[in-house]
Amino acid sequence: MKSAIILFPGTNRERDMAAALKRASGNDPLIVWHGETSLPDVDLIVLPGGFSYGDYLRCGAIAANSPVMPEVIRRAKAGTFVLGVCNGFQMLTETGLLPGALMRNASLSFVCRDVHLKVENTQTPFTSAYSAGQVIRVPVAHGDGNYFADAETLDRLEGEGRVVVRYCDDKGAVTEAANPNGSQRGIAGILNEAGNVLGMMPHPEDMTDIRQGGLDGLPLFTSIASAA
Amino acid sequence: MTIPNATPITAELVAEHGIKPDEYQRILDLIGREPTVTELGIFSAMWNEHCSYKSSKIWLKTLPTKGPQVVCGPGENAGIVDIGDGQVCVFKMESHNHPSFIEPYQGAATGVGGILRDVFTMGARPIAAMNALRFGDPAHPKTRHLVRGVVSGVGGYGNSFGVPTVGGEVEFHPSYNGNNLVNAFAAGIADKDAIFYAKATGVGKPIVYLGSKTGRDGIHGATMASAEFGEDAEEKRPTVQVGDPFSEKLLLEACLELMASDSVIAIQDMGAAGLTCSAVEMGAKGNLGVTLDLENVPCREEGMSAYEMMLSESQERMLMVLKPEKEATARAIFEKWGLDFAVVGKTTDTRRFHIRHHGDVMADLPIKELGDEAPEYDRPFLRTEAPKPLPASKVAAPKDYAEALLTIIGGPNNCSRRWVWEQYDHLVLGNTMQRPGGDAAVVRVDNESAKGLAFSVDVSPRYCFAHPYEGGKQAVAEAWRNLTAVGAQPLAITDNLNFGNPERPEIMGQFVGCIEGIGEACRALDFPVVSGNVSLYNETNGVGILPTPAIGGVGLLPNVDAMATIAFKSEGEAVVLVGGHGTHLGCSTYLRDVLGREDGPPPPVDLAAERRNGDLVRSAIRHGRVSASHDISHGGLIVALAEMAMAGNIGAVIDLPLSPDLHAKLFGEDQARYVLAVPQAHVQRLLDDAAANDVPAEVIGTSGGPALRIGTALSVSVETLHHAHEAWLPAYMSEEL
């Protein structure tokens, strides 16, 4: 698998992501500066976590207008896999590649801790290595992960199997207590209509090495590697 | 030579700059004329307590700073230790107490920013941050506001910058009502052959200003931090700087890229006293002069005067001496990252600090003397009287052991700090091997390596208050013990010495006692001081804080797979007490939280026993004979056991019968002790090794079951422990208490 991580000023989880991609595919990803206007030929484009442009306007809003973004959007529409994690998910909603928005956490505080996720759809290039309904444990680390969309959009996402991961407790029950940020319907990650763009708030890349405390994030990357 | 002076230098103006009459006379003698107002500002910046260490220097010199592992001791931006494989760890801790009380969010945020800059100025990429926070009485009307602001400031800066905040301390005590403490620690990794220092070399080399623009924020910040507070503390808000972690992240990446391009002769961050301190330091260390042309300084606001530019503490700025032939390369790097790059001066052979603004001379001072000739005081001190002995037989046992335990682990000072550290990104970079909540945090050096570094920050201010010498020893010993408890070899410390007004002999006595204790423990444990910071005048209206010499320790774990954590791992393992039974209740948590007393002497530290016991525990961990390890500190054996049970969700049955001294055994805070969980197959070997090394070790029970049971004294379910431990801080912060 050939992959590229887009580096924005203020991105800070590109190293975690690069290590995870290497663990899953054996290859180092390319690192592409946000100021580029073209992209190398890759199977996967990653928009990583961090605080692009300090998140000073709205999280991901300035990055969504970076010089590299028109090409990312063009590739996404042409079917290249795109993964946006945390700040990357926020960029994907800001570009309109994914519906909805990510608001301030309901607690109004930044939250960093392990959460449980229920893998709701394993028929995607990002989740095929998980078993249906599997409960996984990965960390979140964000201040603005509260997913919001109108009811019609949410119904449509659910109906089309595009809610890929949902916050749950360790038994798989979707509860308010298990939801770290107030996201509607416990939504942690969603797909675009074509199924090649995934945005999610949790950090699977930080749970891909047994020394990090678990391997539950790794199948996400091996799924992409086998689909590519 | 005279420089025309538009502003008359009156006695009031001198006093407003925090310069005493005899210090002003020293300035007159040194330069042979009346200083300009800009020069007066420069002296006030260089000669204040914060920058000159004038009250503490004489004592700091007594601390041990050398060892085979030490690459760079105190005096640079941060200390450096060798961690093998051609790598070094660069680390330091620094206070931001005064600004964090005036403006908690920005004060704490810029404290984090400042310490990160100290680390990457030396060429190291930061890999971990910690902090030691102390607040007033929870019932004090300002405390909640300060906790909220400081915690979100620490998180707001570190999270955005992208360094994991992996550990620290939070403590409450009424002595901090008017002066909270914010001590920020950072550590980074560099290659041993690519360390950068502040010493300028070469005449006529360009001096380059890097980073963010200069504004009017933080003027006189260091001077403010060198005086006690009165009723007007709130009015000092304009002296607090404003942080921009985004710019700092860009500055980090640009600086590391620049350092890799072989362009840098010397580099120094602009921290306290900004442009003044950084330029003087680079010149003085290199035995050179510095000329600055201030019209080239990138400014955020129009019409800034020389005085303002020289004293601004605007954040995210660096000063560098550049190899002249590399100017284009260096400029391109900074332009790529969207940061300012401006040649503002040059090095000279005059040893003068020469400041011009649009061609007019604003200051012309001897550069070495600005630093070296700062006043140095041997302040009178009065030693703290040793407290009367307090034998355990004179301390009442609790009526109900379970209730006493729940009171301690559910109280402000020993409850879970989860509410705090969940607001810190403690996982970014993907290398956090041991998260907050254990004895020490462990971070591996990179994504592939099994080599890790352990970090802990410790001090028991109530011990230091009762007996400064023993308290100083204990702070070092506890940092050493916490690193040992995870299996690390302790390497060196950074000290952050927070005290009241040194002009009061009893405060100076606390300082001297603590320093002597710290020095003694460092020597005995081969644990030298490589960096540090002194924060004095932590007083409001004449009331000082408890003496708080926070110790940040760094240890090396060659293999993180052999590290220990505090959690019980499985049922049926032997619970082993190393270091003997508790006997000492003076200054204990039990005394304070259960009986409402703060008297007696602190537990004495036997440094030879500390070393023997610790070496045994570390060796057992590295040989894989230990499944869980925890040092015994605040609250004694019983709290250590409760924490191991909570972390593993596994109880234990401890065979200690009821006896007149059971409360001392359970709550005693005797030093040099650990609790280990040991698989049955390894128990005999561990006990044999202990006996052979003259280390007391004894099986006191077995892990397992849903509750912590101690003889007939108590039985509390792990769930009840959790509930008590987790409740207080979130409830307090949501104003339910």
Side-chain angles (χ1 to χ4, degrees):
Chain A
M1 174 176 68
K2 284 197 289 184
S3 56
I5 297 173
I6 314 287
L7 190 64
F8 300 87
T11 291
N12 63 26
R13 258 188 169 80
E14 76 280 9
R15 289 160 179 270
D16 318 34
M17 184 60 77
L21 288 165
K22 178 148 194 206
R23 283 174 199 128
S25 70
N27 299 325
D28 283 318
L30 301 165
I31 304 289
V32 177
W33 184 237
H34 76 115
E36 303 290 331
T37 50
S38 65
L39 283 171
D41 185 28
V42 292
D43 307 305
L44 170 71
I45 298 167
V46 181
L47 305 176
F51 288 69
S52 57
Y53 297 92
D55 280 349
Y56 286 150
L57 175 58
R58 213 171 42 243
C59 300
I62 303 177
N65 291 288
S66 266
V68 77
M69 257 335 177
E71 182 61 12
V72 172
I73 293 168
R74 197 186 68 74
R75 296 284 183 95
K77 290 188 170 158
T80 301
F81 298 137
V82 177
L83 172 64
V85 170
C86 200
N87 199 215
F89 185 13
Q90 293 160 343
M91 293 173 204
L92 289 171
T93 61
E94 287 289 340
T95 56
L97 283 171
L98 292 174
L102 293 146
M103 308 192 302
R104 202 90 248 272
N105 292 349
S107 66
L108 303 182
S109 296
F110 188 95
V111 59
C112 176
R113 63 174 163 94
D114 282 354
V115 296
H116 289 94
L117 301 178
K118 189 172 188 178
V119 184
E120 298 273 15
N121 182 354
T122 53
Q123 310 296 308
T124 84
F126 301 94
T127 52
S128 61
Y130 292 106
S131 55
Q134 188 177 340
V135 175
I136 63 171
R137 182 174 55 88
V138 292
V140 290
H142 59 248
D144 299 79
N146 182 353
Y147 184 72
F148 179 87
D150 60 46
E152 194 185 330
T153 305
L154 292 173
D155 288 343
R156 195 172 152 210
L157 286 171
E158 306 237 30
E160 295 173 357
R162 289 163 57 193
V163 175
V164 176
V165 279
R166 220 189 283 270
Y167 302 110
C168 64
D169 66 16
D170 58 349
K171 307 280 189 302
V174 178
T175 65
E176 204 178 310
N179 184 332
N181 52 33
S183 288
Q184 287 182 307
R185 305 187 192 183
I187 290 173
I190 56 169
L191 269 185
N192 68 339
E193 206 172 345
N196 66 314
V197 177
L198 174 70
M200 63 191 295
M201 285 314 295
H203 290 284
E205 72 274 23
D206 282 339
M207 204 57 93
T208 54
D209 174 354
I210 199 66
R211 290 179 181 142
Q212 292 172 324
L215 292 168
D216 284 2
L218 194 59
L220 189 124
F221 299 97
T222 52
S223 298
I224 310 171
S226 62
Chain B
M1 180 201 127
T2 51
I3 302 175
N5 212 356
T7 313
I9 307 295
T10 61
E12 290 75 32
L13 191 66
V14 171
E16 275 170 31
H17 282 77
I19 295 171
K20 304 264 156 67
D22 58 321
E23 293 173 347
Y24 184 64
Q25 187 56 49
R26 201 185 178 100
I27 293 172
L28 294 178
D29 295 346
L30 197 60
I31 66 175
R33 60 174 165 79
E34 179 179 83
T36 67
V37 68
T38 303
E39 289 173 333
L40 189 67
I42 289 170
F43 274 108
S44 114
M46 292 303 297
W47 284 12
N48 64 57
E49 187 67 55
H50 186 83
C51 293
S52 74
Y53 296 91
K54 59 190 169 191
S55 302
S56 57
K57 209 189 267 175
I58 185 169
W59 293 101
L60 297 176
K61 286 176 190 159
T62 66
L63 292 171
T65 60
K66 295 194 164 52
Q69 72 277 40
V70 177
V71 175
C72 172
E76 281 287 340
N77 284 295
I80 305 181
V81 289
D82 196 319
I83 57 168
D85 311 308
Q87 291 177 310
V88 293
C89 176
V90 179
F91 67 99
K92 191 181 182 187
M93 181 157 53
E94 198 161 271
S95 61
H96 233 214
N97 304 335
H98 291 73
S100 302
F101 183 76
I102 298 170
E103 212 304 291
Y105 184 95
Q106 292 297 346
T110 52
V112 174
I115 199 67
L116 288 167
R117 237 169 13 256
D118 279 336
V119 165
F120 71 76
T121 304
M122 303 200 75
R125 181 175 282 279
I127 63 158
M130 297 194 290
N131 49 81
L133 311 178
R134 287 188 163 77
F135 300 101
D137 186 344
H140 189 278
K142 275 199 87 165
T143 300
R144 198 180 273 110
H145 155 76
L146 291 169
V147 173
R148 192 185 309 283
V150 166
V151 169
S152 57
V154 168
Y157 207 98
N159 297 348
S160 175
F161 177 84
V163 64
T165 302
V166 292
E169 287 191 300
V170 180
E171 205 174 18
F172 298 91
H173 189 277
S175 79
Y176 305 106
N177 279 352
N179 297 83
N180 58 354
L181 302 186
V182 175
N183 294 174
F185 169 101
I189 300 283
D191 287 336
K192 194 174 179 180
D193 58 3
I195 301 169
F196 290 82
Y197 294 100
K199 180 184 167 184
T201 52
V203 172
K205 307 293 182 193
I207 294 176
V208 183
Y209 172 112
L210 306 169
S212 295
K213 294 185 196 308
T214 296
R216 289 190 166 102
D217 53 329
I219 292 174
H220 288 311
T223 308
M224 172 270 287
S226 302
E228 49 191 293
F229 284 151
E231 294 298 342
D232 61 342
E234 302 281 332
E235 289 167 22
K236 297 189 172 175
R237 190 162 291 148
T239 61
V240 179
Q241 316 86 325
V242 177
D244 176 3
F246 172 59
S247 291
E248 179 119 323
K249 168 72 171 162
L250 303 183
L251 189 59
L252 162 74
E253 299 298 344
C255 282
L256 294 186
E257 201 172 318
L258 179 70
M259 288 164 173
S261 73
D262 190 30
S263 309
V264 181
I265 294 173
I267 185 160
Q268 172 76 22
D269 84 301
M270 292 192 223
L275 191 53
T276 294
C277 203
S278 55
V280 169
E281 214 151 301
M282 295 207 318
K285 281 193 169 136
N287 225 0
L288 295 169
V290 165
T291 294
L292 299 179
D293 287 303
L294 295 182
E295 61 277 14
N296 298 323
V297 170
C299 286
R300 202 155 61 208
E301 300 169 61
E302 280 182 24
M304 284 186 66
S305 67
Y307 179 90
E308 290 168 328
M309 281 187 252
M310 293 312 293
L311 295 185
S312 164
E313 290 189 9
S314 289
Q315 297 288 292
E316 294 90 25
R317 302 180 300 160
M318 295 273 193
L319 204 61
M320 169 182 69
V321 181
L322 180 70
K323 294 184 179 171
E325 68 277 15
K326 294 284 190 168
E327 187 174 330
T329 310
R331 188 181 292 277
I333 291 169
F334 273 75
E335 281 173 358
K336 171 188 157 190
W337 289 99
L339 294 167
D340 271 299
F341 177 101
V343 178
V344 295
K346 62 176 191 308
T347 57
T348 67
D349 59 4
T350 62
R351 295 188 202 171
R352 303 287 294 180
F353 190 44
H354 192 72
I355 308 299
R356 295 184 297 221
H357 196 198
H358 299 297
D360 295 333
V361 177
M362 307 308 287
D364 186 7
L365 298 169
I367 206 162
K368 295 286 278 184
E369 287 76 357
L370 262 181
D372 296 349
E373 298 287 313
E376 195 175 312
Y377 298 123
D378 183 359
R379 296 200 185 274
F381 59 92
L382 190 64
R383 287 192 188 271
T384 306
E385 211 174 299
K388 290 197 187 69
L390 181 62
S393 56
K394 298 270 192 263
V395 176
K399 289 190 188 69
D400 181 333
Y401 275 92
E403 199 182 298
L405 171 60
L406 295 174
T407 299
I408 291 172
I409 65 169
N413 285 313
N414 287 287
C415 70
S416 166
R417 269 58 179 127
R418 184 183 306 277
W419 182 89
V420 175
W421 50 255
E422 282 193 349
Q423 294 185 55
Y424 303 153
D425 189 337
H426 47 271
L427 301 175
V428 63
L429 304 179
N431 293 324
T432 304
M433 304 286 99
Q434 190 161 157
R435 301 185 186 189
D439 281 328
V442 177
V443 177
R444 67 180 165 191
V445 298
D446 62 53
N447 291 123
E448 310 290 333
S449 180
K451 183 164 79 178
L453 293 171
F455 303 105
S456 180
V457 48
D458 299 282
V459 61
S460 305
R462 64 183 191 280
Y463 294 176
C464 296
F465 181 74
H467 197 308
Y469 177 73
E470 286 298 333
K473 271 165 66 183
Q474 194 274 342
V476 175
E478 188 171 351
W480 189 89
R481 198 181 316 138
N482 278 324
L483 300 174
T484 296
V486 301
Q489 179 65 50
L491 292 175
I493 63 166
T494 176
D495 57 0
N496 199 152
L497 309 170
N498 308 275
F499 290 81
N501 182 348
E503 295 164 41
R504 292 205 288 134
E506 62 275 27
I507 299 290
M508 202 58 209
Q510 294 173 346
F511 184 80
V512 170
C514 285
I515 288 277
E516 288 173 342
I518 289 168
E520 180 63 24
C522 289
R523 278 185 292 270
L525 298 170
D526 287 326
F527 201 30
V529 181
V530 296
S531 58
N533 164 249
V534 180
S535 173
L536 302 174
Y537 298 96
N538 291 288
E539 274 197 37
T540 296
N541 296 329
V543 181
I545 58 162
L546 293 184
T548 311
I551 302 296
V554 175
L556 178 65
L557 274 150
N559 179 6
V560 294
D561 296 334
M563 124 193 129
T565 68
I566 69 167
F568 283 139
K569 305 296 182 303
S570 58
E571 311 229 338
E573 296 188 337
V575 176
V576 177
L577 172 65
V578 174
H581 282 286
T583 61
H584 189 98
L585 289 170
C587 274
S588 66
T589 304
Y590 170 71
L591 211 58
R592 182 192 62 200
D593 289 4
V594 178
L595 302 182
R597 296 164 56 181
E598 297 196 20
D599 55 329
V605 185
D606 175 346
L607 292 164
E610 191 72 60
R611 189 159 182 152
R612 266 196 317 274
N613 300 358
D615 288 349
L616 177 93
V617 167
R618 188 181 317 105
S619 163
I621 292 169
R622 291 193 176 180
H623 283 97
R625 295 191 191 114
V626 172
S627 72
S629 157
H630 194 4
D631 89 305
I632 296 178
S633 61
H634 303 297
L637 171 66
I638 194 169
V639 169
L641 289 166
E643 287 171 347
M644 296 173 85
M646 287 186 283
N649 272 317
I650 294 173
V653 178
I654 305 299
D655 313 316
L656 289 178
L658 272 178
S659 66
D661 64 347
L662 183 62
H663 65 316
K665 284 184 172 158
L666 292 180
F667 296 108
E669 297 183 2
D670 303 59
Q671 300 292 296
R673 299 192 303 147
Y674 303 80
V675 184
L676 308 178
V678 182
Q680 296 296 346
H682 299 309
V683 173
Q684 197 52 51
R685 177 64 198 264
L686 182 89
L687 296 179
D688 291 346
D689 283 352
N693 289 286
D694 202 16
V695 173
E698 175 184 340
V699 176
I700 57 167
T702 310
S703 66
L708 175 62
R709 298 170 60 172
I710 300 180
T712 54
L714 93 161
S715 174
V716 185
S717 74
V718 177
E719 199 183 333
T720 304
L721 293 174
H722 266 303
H723 183 76
H725 193 51
E726 296 294 340
W728 189 84
L729 198 47
Y732 173 69
M733 290 311 297
S734 62
E735 304 189 23
E736 289 164 20
L737 294 175

